Amino acid sequence: MLFETDKPLKWMGSSKRDLLSMPVAVRRLFGHALDFAQKGKQHKDAFVLKGFGSAGVLEIVDDDEGGTYRAVYTVKFKDVVFVLHVFQKKSRSGIATPKPDMELIRLRLRAAEAMAKEMQNEKTNC
């Protein structure tokens, strides 16, 4: 249920479709953590994603028998939470986010910044 104080979610690229293709337990955890973010809170399983400074980019990681799943989102903007990337980590070695995924996250963060600026301009001009 969306309350007046909840920020809306904006899904970047294929992130929503990617989330819906994941196992049910993973979707539940990610959905719960995103609900926290909409309320201005941080879920206990959400951590700052390294490599973005203080950009407010967070990551949720969940493991099940099918592998490791990640959801990356940003709370950088006052009025909206952008879900930047949702994916299954393919590499079994190391915990670092793979370089192609990091590049996609950076690209989508820049697009989210442009969208947030446009939304703010629309809000100001109303």
Side-chain angles (χ1 to χ4, degrees):
M1 177 186 228
L2 194 66
F3 296 98
E4 281 186 40
T5 57
D6 286 359
K7 296 178 183 181
L9 287 178
K10 295 283 184 190
W11 300 87
M12 302 302 291
S14 63
S15 58
K16 187 171 187 177
R17 184 172 13 106
D18 296 337
L19 176 66
L20 294 174
S21 71
M22 294 186 171
V24 172
V26 174
R27 290 194 318 247
R28 280 191 190 122
L29 173 65
F30 289 177
H32 191 61
L34 290 170
D35 184 57
F36 268 59
Q38 287 181 275
K39 291 175 174 35
K41 299 177 183 176
Q42 184 173 327
H43 190 273
K44 67 178 179 66
D45 293 325
F47 300 95
V48 174
L49 181 62
K50 292 178 181 165
F52 291 90
S54 60
V57 178
L58 295 118
E59 177 180 47
I60 313 155
V61 179
D62 193 20
D63 294 309
D64 82 349
E65 64 272 353
T68 299
Y69 302 89
R70 296 179 179 207
V72 179
Y73 63 96
T74 184
V75 294
K76 176 180 179 178
F77 309 103
K78 180 182 169 202
D79 297 322
V80 64
V81 174
F82 285 97
V83 182
L84 302 172
H85 189 33
V86 179
F87 61 104
Q88 181 176 3
K89 185 173 180 281
K90 303 288 189 217
S91 171
R92 295 285 181 198
S93 61
I95 60 170
T97 303
K99 188 175 179 179
D101 291 300
M102 290 295 282
E103 290 170 5
L104 182 59
I105 292 164
R106 281 189 182 86
L107 223 134
R108 289 181 177 174
L109 180 60
R110 282 194 295 273
E113 288 169 343
M115 285 177 67
K117 186 175 182 179
E118 187 177 307
M119 291 167 62
Q120 190 60 41
N121 289 340
E122 287 174 6
K123 192 175 179 181
T124 304
N125 293 331
C126 287

